[in-house]
Amino acid sequence: MNAPDTELGRLEDLPADYVDALRRLNLVPLWPSLRAVLPPHKPRLNTRATAWAYRDIKPLLLRAGELTPIEKAERRVLVLANPGHGLDKMQASAAIYLGLQLLLPGEWAPSHRHTPNAVRMVVEGEGAWTTVDGEKCPMSRGDLILTPTGLWHEHGHDGGQPVVWLDVLDLPLVHYMEASYHINGQRQQQLPGRGDRAYTRGGLLPTPVFEHEAARRGKAYPMLRYPWQEARAALLALAADRPDQQALQITYANPETGAHAENILGFYALMLRPGQTLALPVRSPAMVFHVIEGGASVDVGEGADTQRFALTEADTCCAPGYTPVSLRNASASEAAFIFIADETPLHQKLGVFEVRS
Ligand code: GTQ
């Protein structure tokens, strides 16, 4: 049995001259704020369940394309900001930043590198590419492209229609750590070798015989592009193999180590069978859901506090940690495919990861 919390003294209970004396010396009494920073049983969650509909954002993003040339934006992005944190903080959760980025035909977003890790989930349009660490990654709908911490990246577009992708970064965390900065660079030289070709089959690793050809093996991030075709096929194969299994999910992993693809945020693709409802375990990390194909309704919360978002293709929502989330695919005939980003690697590395049900 847990002992109940006793009521603690308030700031107003203290004489004003005493509080002033403390403040002048840069001192603060803990007890009036103790319950705020260490609340009982569950953290205080600023992250609010929030949804962003692509059909609302797209016209505004295209308008940004008219209002602001790429040279004046470097990255032409509308940030999906969580009102629970305050819009100016530009964060979806404590550690997750989300943005929808627009690149028009012929535009180029110049090469830079920065401390936060990023990924791109391609939402719409063909013909764009991101060159990461010398590897030119074509961007097709549903592809996941990593730009991990410290690696040069630039975006270009040889196609004929606007291209939009979802940026997911751990910027809020790295900024909070006072460790966020960028460096601009020159247009990158393209180097031989593509991770998405070298690692096409799970469990089969490219094995250089000659030491001088072993460059990729020494890379912290050997695979930078995860084609949607491959991820989708893996989910369908899993569904065929495990008709008994309720949840069909894959993790975007580093093929050499099996660890999460990046250090701080986790990335997954989940398939909902036609008509399926899936109540996720309640866990400490916040999550983001983005519909790649089909539709899903997402219930976040409990009882009367439950919020329901009806997501269609290209829509995005977020859910705080420590909160029940249930997904439902209402279609009787079509599977739904959902891209998920969460804070699991961060919570696990810090030792605060919890599953509560
Ligand atoms: O494409 O490099 O949404 O540096 C925010 C910061 C995208 C990018 C963002 C960035 C980028």
Side-chain angles (χ1 to χ4, degrees), residues 75 77 97 99 101 112 114 120 153 155 165 167 169 171:
R75 302 300 192 256
V77 176
Y97 158 105
Q101 181 162 171
H112 74 180
H114 41 68
R120 334 276 158 197
H153 55 281
H155 315 296
W165 62 79
D167 289 317
L169 281 78
L171 178 62

Side-chain angles (χ1 to χ4, degrees), residues 12-30:
E12 306 88 88
D13 301 337
L14 298 170
D17 69 307
Y18 176 70
V19 175
D20 285 347
L22 292 179
R23 296 220 147 252
R24 272 194 294 278
L25 294 171
N26 296 322
L27 295 169
V28 174
L30 172 62

Side-chain angles (χ1 to χ4, degrees), residues 188-203:
Q188 293 169 72
Q189 291 281 337
Q190 209 174 314
L191 303 170
R194 275 179 52 172
D196 59 346
R197 292 187 178 148
Y199 298 95
T200 347
R201 300 278 179 269

